[in-house]
Every structure is written in structure tokens, then in C-alpha cells.
Amino acid sequence: MNIMLFHSTYGLRPAVRDAADRLRTAGHQVWTPDLFAGRTFDTVEEGMEYSDGIGKEELLKRAVLAAAPYSERGLVYAGFSLGASIAQTLALGDAKARGLLLLHGTSDIAANAYVDELPVQLHVAEPDPFETDDWLSAWYLQMGRAGADVEVYRYAGAGHLYTDPGLPDYDAEAAEATWRVALGFLDGLTSA
């Protein structure tokens, strides 16, 4: 698969590059656009302040420009937290999208969003301060109404960005389980 993988509010950290390498080792072609132009952050607060300063519209513009040269190939959009929300927005707007892999995050869904059985897989901590149970229930229903085929995996006791070994949230067991399931999801898209 051709995968566009977006980083979190921490920026394009080593964990994102490692995730891309893991996906490449499994036979996928992966791009990791740097929406923060080389900036990385040590805390979520610093990253959020920086991304808020850029603005959602500008971040989406940067993401669209990064994906545009490859979108004709039929991309799987993927991302971590903030990057997941960006990936979701792009996937719901790209008729050629092959799938959507969300790690640690979701986003609002436009009322007129429609996809034709787009395969979607979400991996999120339970509980997650950024992805509350009420929010996730509403999100799941809205994605279904939009035509997506959604799978949700919750990881009890894990921190928000539990797949990043460089952060306090890291949970090795949950991270490995996530990657095992996610790689199976991507393999299923390849054979479909």
C-alpha cells in the first residue's frame, strides 16, 4: 500500500520515522510529511501552542500539498493524534483513498461527508483525555453514517501516545498489539 503518515503535535519525531520503517519493512511505501518544517517539541503543550499558531487551515493545506503528488495511486491515510485528525480529514475528502489508519486521534466529521465503505481502523487508549468515551461513541456513529467501515481498538491503562517509546505515555505491550493489528489491517487492504 501507499501510505501517507502524519506526525503528532510533537512533530516529526524518531518514533514516526520508526513507524514508517516498520511499515516499509512490511512491504508498504510510506511518506512522512513534516508539517512543522523541522520543529519538534518535548511537551504536548508546546506542540499544541505551535500548531495553534500555524492554524488548522494551514496545516490541512500543507497536508494536502504533501499528499497531492501521490493521491492518484490510492493512498492509505494514517497519523498519530493531531496527524490522525489530519489523515481523517484528507481521507474523507479523497474519493481514491484506500483506507484510514488512526493512531491516538480522530477529528470532526463534516455533515456532508460520504465515503463508499472506506476501511477505517482506530487505535486509542482507554481512557484517553483527548478522545473521551462520549466523543468516540458519537464519532463512531457519524463515521458509520458517512459510509465508513470502522473498527475501534481500545487499550486499557495506556497513555494517549502509547506507541512512542520516547514519551512517558509509552506502553510496550499496547504498542506491539497495535502494530500487529494495524499491519493485519493493511495486509487486508492489499489483498482486497
Side-chain angles (χ1 to χ4, degrees):
M1 298 282 13
N2 296 299
I3 302 170
M4 188 65 53
L5 179 63
F6 295 103
H7 61 75
S8 75
T9 194
Y10 285 93
L12 188 55
R13 294 170 41 82
V16 179
R17 290 187 180 95
D18 292 346
D21 288 344
R22 183 188 292 247
L23 295 169
R24 288 182 187 110
T25 299
H28 304 289
Q29 188 159 11
V30 185
W31 295 273
T32 55
D34 186 350
L35 304 180
F36 287 0
R39 297 285 307 269
T40 59
F41 300 95
D42 294 325
T43 69
V44 69
E45 293 81 14
E46 291 171 334
M48 288 174 73
E49 182 179 336
Y50 184 75
S51 64
D52 288 347
I54 293 171
K56 185 175 180 175
E57 293 305 314
E58 177 62 23
L59 285 173
L60 286 173
K61 178 182 170 187
R62 293 177 185 186
V64 167
L65 289 172
Y70 311 103
S71 63
E72 283 297 315
R73 302 177 187 198
L75 291 170
V76 172
Y77 292 92
F80 297 93
S81 194
L82 168 70
S85 71
I86 291 168
Q88 177 187 305
T89 300
L90 268 60
L92 293 179
D94 182 352
K96 293 185 184 287
R98 297 282 310 274
L100 176 59
L101 177 60
L102 303 172
L103 302 163
H104 322 295
T106 61
S107 184
D108 294 327
I109 302 164
N112 63 346
Y114 177 77
V115 291
D116 189 11
E117 296 182 13
L118 179 72
V120 177
Q121 193 173 86
L122 168 65
H123 297 267
V124 65
E126 180 178 29
D128 188 311
F130 299 103
E131 302 288 324
T132 65
D133 290 344
D134 289 346
W135 168 264
L136 287 174
S137 295
W139 174 86
Y140 180 84
L141 293 172
Q142 290 174 328
M143 286 294 279
R145 281 195 289 274
D149 181 11
V150 180
E151 298 176 344
V152 178
Y153 293 86
R154 305 288 307 268
Y155 299 86
H160 174 65
L161 264 170
Y162 64 82
T163 58
D164 187 329
L167 296 175
D169 288 347
Y170 182 61
D171 182 314
E173 186 177 330
E176 284 308 308
T178 294
W179 286 116
R180 186 173 50 257
V181 173
L183 289 169
F185 172 71
L186 294 168
D187 287 347
L189 297 179
T190 303
S191 62

